[in-house]
Amino acid sequence: MLKIGGQRVPSSTLLLVLIDAVLIVLGVVVAIFLRFHDVRVIAHYFEGPGLYRIGLVALVSVIALYYNDLYVSRVISQKDELFLCLLQALGTACLAL
């Protein structure tokens, strides 16, 4: 277990957060490739502030998922509560971004 801010965080939660962050980054990268079909434009996008934007999207999204209790096993086992928490996290992330 890792301690963050004096609180113990289970390693399973850290693994889920890491997997979610990787999947969010991959989703944004795939969206960029689908949006811009030219390799030069894509390379130019990644040279500028594009990497910082992708990192910001991943960070805000993971924080929104974490604070809406989507890494708690009680929420995951109840499908209707999971759906509501997921919608709240998506709305929070969209508003923050």
Side-chain angles (χ1 to χ4, degrees), residues 15-72:
L15 181 65
L16 286 174
V17 168
L18 181 67
I19 289 171
D20 280 345
V22 167
L23 288 175
I24 290 168
V25 167
L26 284 175
V28 172
V29 169
V30 168
I32 289 170
F33 277 101
L34 290 175
R35 169 66 177 97
F36 305 116
H37 295 288
D38 189 12
V39 176
R40 291 175 303 192
V41 175
I42 295 169
H44 179 68
Y45 186 81
F46 285 128
E47 287 174 3
L51 291 178
Y52 297 115
R53 291 178 182 170
I54 294 171
L56 180 67
V57 167
L59 180 69
V60 168
S61 299
V62 166
I63 289 172
L65 290 172
Y66 182 78
Y67 280 110
N68 280 297
D69 293 333
L70 285 169
Y71 300 114
V72 177

